[in-house]
Amino acid sequence: MLAFGVQAPGHCAFGGLVGPLGGPGRPGRGPVRLRLAHRQCPCAIFPADNVWHADVSKLPVNRDSAAWVASIGAAAHAHPDFGSGLIDGAPFGIPVTAVPAGQAKVKVTFSYAGESDPGPYPIPKNARIEGGANADGDRHVILQDTAACKAYELFDAHPNADGSWKAGSGAVYDLRGNALRKAGWTSADAAGLPILPGLPRADEAAAGKVDHAIRFTAPKTRKSYIWPARHAASDATDASLPPMGARFRLKASVDISKYPPQARAIAQALKTYGAILADNGSPWYFSGTQDDRWNNGQLDALKSLKGSDFEAVDSSSLMLDPNSARCRP
């Protein structure tokens, strides 16, 4: 039986008394004191009670759902904006670079320094840039440090000759916590949200379960944001446009039973955990990792989905604190 000092599943614990790892305490024996600092613990991407992991399949439909879907494009087809190999000569998807323990940190200067976490950032020499080294798009750099259980995210990132970097904006996240950015602050994403938790990964799809919401884009958004988003990226005030942070889900009535395994895992996640509007872009473009383990032919099945297959949900009941991503079960 777990005692004090132990965190949610998937998190490293620090101190306290616990029963033997991997199961309940042995009959007739008291709790065992462990040197938990030496325990090899996995680093989950945010706690199980984080809003990215919230099941939204039973939440009510948002009263503005029809208008929001229409504004994004009811007839527009979904698009998995990730996969394996190259598209037009460049890798596609958002790459995640693993940070080795003890990685030296480097200076990063920001165009939007007032809303960026100053760093320095542990950027390896082999850090991958979205779209490749010569990309002219968002150029996200996503760093996952499992030893420290942190994520470092950069937008419009460019390396300098001296080893330092420059970027448009940057954010650092403690993956063991539920803290949100300051209200009104951007991040490496327009909505002021972390990018890493919204990316389906090939290993998740191979296991048959993507246990989180998925990041997506819409052509036009409102000059507004709703929890858990922290930032708007539009001057439009039309109420028919969705705000940043709006959550959508694939309708329960959509038949995904004949989808190939990778597409089915993602489609099921869209039904259970939904998708969070995080940036301006093409309609119903869903983000994922850049990974050669993706099967593009399988992912293409998602292109049969249309905007009319989705509905916006009212996720306000999940919120416990407007400044925290922790949510009601």
Side-chain angles (χ1 to χ4, degrees), residues 98-104 145-148:
V99 176
Q103 172 65 44
D145 185 344
T146 55

mmCIF file of all heavy atoms in Angstrom, residues 98-104 145-148:
data_model
loop_
_atom_site.group_PDB
_atom_site.id
_atom_site.type_symbol
_atom_site.label_atom_id
_atom_site.label_comp_id
_atom_site.label_asym_id
_atom_site.label_seq_id
_atom_site.Cartn_x
_atom_site.Cartn_y
_atom_site.Cartn_z
ATOM 1 N N ALA A 98 15.041 13.922 -27.369
ATOM 2 C CA ALA A 98 15.316 13.464 -26.000
ATOM 3 C C ALA A 98 16.574 14.149 -25.489
ATOM 4 O O ALA A 98 17.599 14.199 -26.177
ATOM 5 C CB ALA A 98 15.491 11.954 -25.976
ATOM 6 N N VAL A 99 16.496 14.677 -24.281
ATOM 7 C CA VAL A 99 17.632 15.372 -23.667
ATOM 8 C C VAL A 99 18.350 14.396 -22.742
ATOM 9 O O VAL A 99 17.753 13.887 -21.789
ATOM 10 C CB VAL A 99 17.166 16.599 -22.866
ATOM 11 C CG1 VAL A 99 18.346 17.248 -22.147
ATOM 12 C CG2 VAL A 99 16.487 17.611 -23.785
ATOM 13 N N PRO A 100 19.613 14.112 -22.991
ATOM 14 C CA PRO A 100 20.346 13.205 -22.097
ATOM 15 C C PRO A 100 20.597 13.847 -20.738
ATOM 16 O O PRO A 100 20.683 15.074 -20.618
ATOM 17 C CB PRO A 100 21.653 12.953 -22.845
ATOM 18 C CG PRO A 100 21.831 14.147 -23.730
ATOM 19 C CD PRO A 100 20.450 14.580 -24.115
ATOM 20 N N ALA A 101 20.693 13.022 -19.709
ATOM 21 C CA ALA A 101 20.965 13.531 -18.363
ATOM 22 C C ALA A 101 22.283 14.298 -18.371
ATOM 23 O O ALA A 101 23.266 13.874 -18.988
ATOM 24 C CB ALA A 101 21.029 12.370 -17.369
ATOM 25 N N GLY A 102 22.288 15.450 -17.722
ATOM 26 C CA GLY A 102 23.499 16.244 -17.626
ATOM 27 C C GLY A 102 23.793 17.104 -18.837
ATOM 28 O O GLY A 102 24.876 17.698 -18.930
ATOM 29 N N GLN A 103 22.831 17.206 -19.756
ATOM 30 C CA GLN A 103 23.038 18.021 -20.948
ATOM 31 C C GLN A 103 23.329 19.477 -20.564
ATOM 32 O O GLN A 103 22.609 20.088 -19.779
ATOM 33 C CB GLN A 103 21.791 17.970 -21.840
ATOM 34 C CG GLN A 103 21.806 18.919 -23.011
ATOM 35 C CD GLN A 103 22.887 18.593 -24.025
ATOM 36 O OE1 GLN A 103 23.074 17.432 -24.368
ATOM 37 N NE2 GLN A 103 23.615 19.593 -24.484
ATOM 38 N N ALA A 104 24.384 20.024 -21.120
ATOM 39 C CA ALA A 104 24.742 21.422 -20.856
ATOM 40 C C ALA A 104 23.664 22.345 -21.420
ATOM 41 O O ALA A 104 23.104 22.090 -22.488
ATOM 42 C CB ALA A 104 26.093 21.741 -21.471
ATOM 43 N N ASP A 145 13.177 16.176 -21.351
ATOM 44 C CA ASP A 145 14.206 15.763 -20.391
ATOM 45 C C ASP A 145 13.554 14.847 -19.369
ATOM 46 O O ASP A 145 12.944 15.308 -18.397
ATOM 47 C CB ASP A 145 14.810 17.000 -19.727
ATOM 48 C CG ASP A 145 15.968 16.674 -18.801
ATOM 49 O OD1 ASP A 145 16.127 15.494 -18.429
ATOM 50 O OD2 ASP A 145 16.712 17.612 -18.442
ATOM 51 N N THR A 146 13.641 13.539 -19.582
ATOM 52 C CA THR A 146 12.975 12.605 -18.682
ATOM 53 C C THR A 146 13.696 12.484 -17.349
ATOM 54 O O THR A 146 13.076 12.104 -16.349
ATOM 55 C CB THR A 146 12.841 11.221 -19.333
ATOM 56 O OG1 THR A 146 14.131 10.757 -19.747
ATOM 57 C CG2 THR A 146 11.928 11.273 -20.546
ATOM 58 N N ALA A 147 14.981 12.780 -17.305
ATOM 59 C CA ALA A 147 15.713 12.724 -16.036
ATOM 60 C C ALA A 147 15.212 13.805 -15.086
ATOM 61 O O ALA A 147 14.984 13.562 -13.900
ATOM 62 C CB ALA A 147 17.213 12.869 -16.272
ATOM 63 N N ALA A 148 15.031 15.009 -15.597
ATOM 64 C CA ALA A 148 14.523 16.113 -14.789
ATOM 65 C C ALA A 148 13.007 16.200 -14.841
ATOM 66 O O ALA A 148 12.401 16.974 -14.108
ATOM 67 C CB ALA A 148 15.125 17.433 -15.263
#
